C-alpha cells in the first residue's frame, strides 16, 4: 500500500537500480522516492513514497553509497508504519539533505543519532570494520548494487555473539559453517564440507572424529509418551554430555558455540535415525505363545494384539501410545485377560501398577485383585517394564521393583523421588 493512499495514480520511473533498492518515480508531475519495506496484515509487501527534489535525484544517480545510506535510514520509518499505518513523510524528507547533500563527517554524525538498517548496507558490500567504527560514509565506498544476504546474516550473527561476549576463532567459525549454524544457531545442523575453507576442513574433521568416537555405541530412542516421533530427552542429554566432554577434553581451545554445534549435529543425526524405528524390547520371539493382549488408554480406547500380528506386542503397544498419548491422556494399560493380570503405566507420574487377579468373582461377587505400585525411571524403565510383562507376565516384573501394595507408602516414595530431582 502507498503511504499517501494513492496506489492507482500513474507513476513513471525516472531512475532505478533494480532489485529492492529504492527508485525515483514521477507521480502527478512530482518526483518521489519509491521503496518497498515491511508487509501488510496479509503478508503482502508494502510500498511507500515520499517527495524528493532534482538535486536529491542527481546525487542518487551518481552516488550509490549515499543512495544506500538513505535507504537504510528510511527503513526504520517504514517499520514504524507497521502493517497499516502511513509513512511519516516529514521524518523521511528531513533525512534527504543531511544524507545526500551534507559533508561525510556530518553524515557519520547523523547515523550516530538515528536508527538505521545495518543489514542493508552490509548486504550491499559496505566495509564492516568501518561500520563498526562509525565511518558509515566511507564504508559505502565498497558498496555494490547486487546484495549478498548471507553476508548480512553472518554479520548479524557475529554481533549477537559479541553481545554475549563471544569471539570465535577461525576453527570455531569453520565448525559452525560446517554444520550450517554460523548464522542461525536454531536450525537443524547439517554436514556442509563445501562451506568450509579447505585449509581448515581437516581440523574440522578431526573435531568431528573425536565426537563420533565419543558417542560410538550410544543411541537416541523415541519417546512415544510425547508423541509418535518424539525423542527421548534422557538419551539426548546422555549423548550430548558424552560428545561435549570428549570434544572439550581433546580440543580445549574451542568456544562453547562450536562444541554445542558438534553435539547438536551428532544428537540430531542419532535422533533422525530413530524416528521411524519401531520400539521393541529386542526379544519378540520371547513373547508368550498364544497370549492375546488388550491395550487401553485413559479415554477408553481399546486395541487388541494377537499372536501372528505384523508387529510384536511391545512394538504394537508403543505405536498405540505414540498415536494416542496427549496431555490429557497419560494412563495406558496392557491386560492379559486369560491369565487375569495386567500392568498400568502412569506417564504423568513416572510410575506403574501391576495388577493380578487373586480370586475370580463368584455368586454375584466381583473378583479380588492385588495391586502393587512401582516408580519407573524414564523411558528406558518403561521399555523394560513392558517388555518383561509381554514375555513373562506379572511374575517377570519382580526384579523391576520394589513393588509396594500400600498406596500411602508408595506415595511417600514418589514424593521423596520427586523432591530429590
Amino acid at each position: 500500500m502507498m503511504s499517501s493512499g494513492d496506489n492507482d495514480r500513474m507513476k513513471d520511473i525516472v531512475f532505478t537500480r533494480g532489485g529492492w533498492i529504492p527508485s525515483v518515480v514521477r507521480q502527478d508531475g512530482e518526483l518521489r522516492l519509491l521503496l518497498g519495506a515491511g508487509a501488510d496484515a496479509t503478508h503482502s509487501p508494502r510500498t511507500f513514497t515520499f517527495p524528493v527534489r532534482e538535486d536529491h535525484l542527481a546525487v542518487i544517480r551518481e552516488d550509490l553509497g549515499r543512495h544506500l545510506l538513505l535507504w537504510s535510514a528510511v527503513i526504520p520509518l517504514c517499520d514504524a508504519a507497521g502493517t497499516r499505518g502511513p509513512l511519516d513523510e516529514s521524518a523521511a524528507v528531513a533525512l534527504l539533505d543531511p544524507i545526500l547533500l551534507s559533508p561525510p563527517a556530518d553524515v557519520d554524525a547523523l547515523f550516530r543519532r538515528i536508527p538505521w538498517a545495518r543489514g542493508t548496507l552490509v548486504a550491499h558490500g559496505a566495509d564492516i570494520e568501518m561500520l563498526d567504527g562509525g565511518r558509515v560514509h566511507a564504508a559505502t565506498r565498497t558498496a555494490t548494487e547486487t546484495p549478498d544476504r548471507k553476508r548480512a546474516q553472518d554479520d548479524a550473527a557475529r554481533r549477537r555473539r559479541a553481545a554475549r561476549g563471544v569471539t570465535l576463532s577461525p576453527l570455531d567459525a569453520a565448525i559452525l559453517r560446517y554444520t550450517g549454524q554460523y548464522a542461525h544457531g536454531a536450525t537443524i545442523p547439517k554436514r556442509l564440507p563445501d562451506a568450509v575453507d579447505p585449509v581448515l576442513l581437516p581440523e574440522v574433521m578431526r573435531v568431528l572424529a573425536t565426537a563420533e568416537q565419543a558417542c560410538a555405541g550410544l543411541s537416541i530412542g523415541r519417546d512415544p509418551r510425547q508423541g509418535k516421533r518424539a525423542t527421548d530427552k534422557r538419551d539426548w542429554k546422555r549423548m550430548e554430555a558424552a560428545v561435549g566432554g570428549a570434544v572439550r577434553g581433546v580440543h580445549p581451545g574451542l568456544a562453547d558455540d562450536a562444541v554445542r554445534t558438534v553435539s547438536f549435529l551428532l544428537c540430531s543425526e542419532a535422533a533422525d535415525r530413530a524416528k521411524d524405528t519401531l520400539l521393541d524390547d529386542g526379544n519378540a520371539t520371547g513373547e508368550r505363545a498364544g497370549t492375546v493382549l488388550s491395550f487401553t488408554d485413559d479415554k477408553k480406547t481399546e486395541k487388541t494384539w494377537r499372536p501372528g500380528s505384523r508387529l510384536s506386542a511391545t512394538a504394537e503397544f508403543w505405536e498405540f501410545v505414540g498415536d494416542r498419548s496427549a496431555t490429557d491422556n497419560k494412563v495406558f494399560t496392557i491386560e492379559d485377560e486369560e491369565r487375569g493380570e495386567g500392568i498400568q503405566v502412569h506417564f504423568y507420574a513416572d510410575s506403574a501398577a501391576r495388577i493380578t487377579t487373586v480370586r475370580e468373582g463368584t455368586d454375584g461377587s466381583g473378583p479380588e485383585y492385588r495391586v502393587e505400585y512401582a516408580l519407573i525411571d524414564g523411558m528406558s524403565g518403561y521399555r523394560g517394564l513392558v517388555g518383561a510383562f509381554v514375555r513373562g507376565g506379572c511374575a517377570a516384573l519382580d526384579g523391576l521393583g520394589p513393588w509396594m501394595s500400600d498406596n500411602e507408602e508408595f506415595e511417600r516414595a514418589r514424593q521423596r523421588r520427586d523432591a530429590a530431582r
Side-chain angles (χ1 to χ4, degrees):
M1 294 186 298
M2 308 301 286
S3 67
S4 55
D6 53 0
N7 297 25
D8 298 328
R9 292 159 63 186
M10 296 298 294
K11 306 177 200 66
D12 295 321
I13 296 177
V14 177
F15 175 75
T16 183
R17 285 192 159 96
W20 285 96
I21 301 176
S23 301
V24 177
V25 299
R26 192 176 302 278
Q27 182 173 288
D28 295 336
E30 180 184 44
L31 290 178
R32 298 183 73 89
L33 193 76
L34 169 68
L35 72 157
D40 62 20
T42 65
H43 306 290
S44 298
R46 295 198 71 190
T47 57
F48 302 91
T49 70
F50 61 93
V52 297
R53 300 192 308 263
E54 291 285 352
D55 55 342
H56 298 144
L57 171 59
V59 176
I60 289 171
R61 284 183 186 275
E62 299 301 324
D63 194 330
L64 171 63
R66 290 199 186 235
H67 191 180
L68 294 174
L69 287 168
L70 176 62
W71 185 20
S72 74
V74 175
I75 286 176
L77 298 178
C78 298
D79 292 339
T83 60
R84 299 181 62 184
L87 177 71
D88 185 341
E89 283 196 10
S90 297
V93 169
L95 295 169
L96 291 169
D97 285 359
I99 294 175
L100 298 178
L101 305 178
S102 297
D106 291 348
V107 174
D108 292 345
L110 173 69
F111 272 69
R112 286 193 288 271
R113 300 193 304 270
I114 64 171
W116 50 284
R118 176 189 173 100
T120 297
L121 299 183
V122 174
H124 281 270
D127 185 283
I128 290 174
E129 289 188 8
M130 287 185 177
L131 290 179
D132 289 343
R135 299 172 60 198
V136 295
H137 183 275
T140 60
R141 290 173 186 162
T142 57
T144 62
E145 292 187 12
T146 302
D148 180 351
R149 304 299 179 195
K150 184 177 181 301
R151 186 173 189 259
Q153 291 171 352
D154 286 354
D155 177 64
R158 177 185 66 83
R159 288 168 60 81
R160 288 194 298 270
R161 291 189 181 95
R164 294 190 283 117
V166 174
T167 301
L168 299 180
S169 71
L171 178 57
D172 293 325
I175 290 171
L176 286 161
R177 293 189 189 283
Y178 179 91
T179 63
Q181 290 201 300
Y182 184 89
H184 302 291
T187 57
I188 300 298
K190 306 172 185 176
R191 293 183 183 251
L192 304 169
D194 291 343
V196 179
D197 183 337
V199 175
L200 290 171
L201 186 57
E203 291 186 66
V204 172
M205 298 313 296
R206 280 193 287 272
V207 174
L208 267 292
T210 299
E212 289 164 347
Q213 184 176 0
C215 64
L218 297 179
S219 62
I220 296 178
R222 290 167 46 207
D223 188 350
R225 299 174 299 173
Q226 308 302 325
K228 198 166 182 66
R229 296 290 181 265
T231 296
D232 188 332
K233 292 181 180 179
R234 183 174 295 187
D235 286 351
W236 183 291
K237 289 181 178 179
R238 182 172 61 248
M239 183 177 288
E240 183 179 53
V243 171
V247 170
R248 286 188 173 92
V250 178
H251 309 278
L254 290 180
D256 286 345
D257 285 25
V259 176
R260 278 195 295 268
T261 198
V262 172
S263 296
F264 192 8
L265 174 67
L266 272 293
C267 289
S268 62
E269 289 178 340
D272 189 62
R273 288 191 294 270
K275 69 180 182 180
D276 294 318
T277 302
L278 292 173
L279 282 177
D280 208 319
D281 64 350
N283 189 19
T285 58
E287 293 169 349
R288 290 170 289 170
T291 301
V292 175
L293 301 175
S294 64
F295 310 144
T296 56
D297 64 6
D298 215 18
K299 302 290 187 180
K300 309 304 180 186
T301 301
E302 183 172 356
K303 186 171 188 176
T304 300
W305 179 88
R306 302 179 186 281
S309 296
R310 181 178 64 87
L311 300 179
S312 69
T314 50
E316 188 77 64
F317 173 72
W318 289 119
E319 291 301 296
F320 178 69
V321 170
D323 288 334
R324 299 288 304 164
S325 183
T327 54
D328 60 347
N329 197 22
K330 293 293 185 183
V331 178
F332 289 78
T333 301
I334 308 177
E335 184 178 359
D336 181 344
E337 185 174 352
E338 182 178 344
R339 290 171 173 77
E341 57 186 20
I343 56 172
Q344 188 176 73
V345 293
H346 315 128
F347 294 144
Y348 66 91
D350 288 337
S351 65
R354 66 174 177 179
I355 306 161
T356 53
T357 303
V358 175
R359 180 179 56 81
E360 298 288 350
T362 57
D363 300 327
S365 63
E368 179 183 347
Y369 299 106
R370 179 171 66 251
V371 182
E372 300 167 287
Y373 303 94
L375 301 174
I376 304 299
D377 188 17
M379 185 60 201
S380 61
Y382 278 119
R383 290 185 67 176
L385 176 80
V386 171
F389 177 79
V390 167
R391 291 191 302 272
C394 284
L397 306 180
D398 287 344
L400 301 180
W403 293 93
M404 291 163 269
S405 56
D406 185 293
N407 190 55
E408 292 184 0
E409 177 190 2
F410 168 71
E411 192 58 32
R412 288 192 294 270
R414 189 180 68 80
Q415 291 175 1
R416 288 193 299 269
R417 188 270 315 271
D418 292 348
R421 285 179 167 177

